[in-house]
PDB file of all heavy atoms in Angstrom:
ATOM      1  N   PHE H 108     -26.533  10.421   7.034  1.00 94.00           N
ATOM      2  CA  PHE H 108     -26.868   9.846   5.725  1.00 94.00           C
ATOM      3  C   PHE H 108     -27.800  10.810   4.966  1.00 94.00           C
ATOM      4  O   PHE H 108     -27.601  11.086   3.776  1.00 94.00           O
ATOM      5  CB  PHE H 108     -27.538   8.484   5.908  1.00 94.00           C
ATOM      6  CG  PHE H 108     -27.687   7.706   4.633  1.00 94.00           C
ATOM      7  CD1 PHE H 108     -26.693   6.814   4.210  1.00 94.00           C
ATOM      8  CD2 PHE H 108     -28.802   7.875   3.822  1.00 94.00           C
ATOM      9  CE1 PHE H 108     -26.826   6.106   3.019  1.00 94.00           C
ATOM     10  CE2 PHE H 108     -28.938   7.171   2.621  1.00 94.00           C
ATOM     11  CZ  PHE H 108     -27.948   6.277   2.219  1.00 94.00           C
ATOM     12  N   ASP H 377       1.458  53.437  19.217  1.00 91.00           N
ATOM     13  CA  ASP H 377       1.790  52.741  17.973  1.00 91.00           C
ATOM     14  C   ASP H 377       0.969  53.324  16.831  1.00 91.00           C
ATOM     15  O   ASP H 377      -0.234  53.563  16.995  1.00 91.00           O
ATOM     16  CB  ASP H 377       1.460  51.246  18.092  1.00 91.00           C
ATOM     17  CG  ASP H 377       2.436  50.545  19.014  1.00 91.00           C
ATOM     18  OD1 ASP H 377       3.473  51.157  19.349  1.00 91.00           O
ATOM     19  OD2 ASP H 377       2.162  49.388  19.402  1.00 91.00           O
ATOM     20  N   ARG H 429      -9.384  54.444  -0.977  1.00 92.00           N
ATOM     21  CA  ARG H 429      -9.332  55.851  -1.382  1.00 92.00           C
ATOM     22  C   ARG H 429      -8.749  56.639  -0.217  1.00 92.00           C
ATOM     23  O   ARG H 429      -9.189  56.503   0.924  1.00 92.00           O
ATOM     24  CB  ARG H 429     -10.735  56.335  -1.738  1.00 92.00           C
ATOM     25  CG  ARG H 429     -10.717  57.476  -2.710  1.00 92.00           C
ATOM     26  CD  ARG H 429     -11.956  57.445  -3.592  1.00 92.00           C
ATOM     27  NE  ARG H 429     -13.182  57.344  -2.833  1.00 92.00           N
ATOM     28  CZ  ARG H 429     -13.728  58.330  -2.113  1.00 92.00           C
ATOM     29  NH1 ARG H 429     -13.150  59.507  -2.043  1.00 92.00           N
ATOM     30  NH2 ARG H 429     -14.855  58.140  -1.457  1.00 92.00           N
ATOM     31  N   VAL H 453      -2.085  46.103   9.721  1.00 96.00           N
ATOM     32  CA  VAL H 453      -1.588  45.694   8.397  1.00 96.00           C
ATOM     33  C   VAL H 453      -0.936  44.321   8.559  1.00 96.00           C
ATOM     34  O   VAL H 453      -0.158  44.105   9.487  1.00 96.00           O
ATOM     35  CB  VAL H 453      -0.582  46.682   7.774  1.00 96.00           C
ATOM     36  CG1 VAL H 453      -1.251  47.973   7.359  1.00 96.00           C
ATOM     37  CG2 VAL H 453       0.592  46.967   8.672  1.00 96.00           C
ATOM     38  N   ILE H 659      30.039  50.268  -7.682  1.00 98.00           N
ATOM     39  CA  ILE H 659      29.584  51.394  -8.512  1.00 98.00           C
ATOM     40  C   ILE H 659      28.215  51.049  -9.115  1.00 98.00           C
ATOM     41  O   ILE H 659      28.083  50.036  -9.802  1.00 98.00           O
ATOM     42  CB  ILE H 659      30.577  51.658  -9.672  1.00 98.00           C
ATOM     43  CG1 ILE H 659      32.021  51.678  -9.157  1.00 98.00           C
ATOM     44  CG2 ILE H 659      30.237  52.944 -10.386  1.00 98.00           C
ATOM     45  CD1 ILE H 659      33.064  51.707 -10.271  1.00 98.00           C
TER      46      ILE H 659
END
Side-chain angles (χ1 to χ4, degrees):
F108 191 91
D377 288 348
R429 206 149 51 73
V453 290
I659 313 171

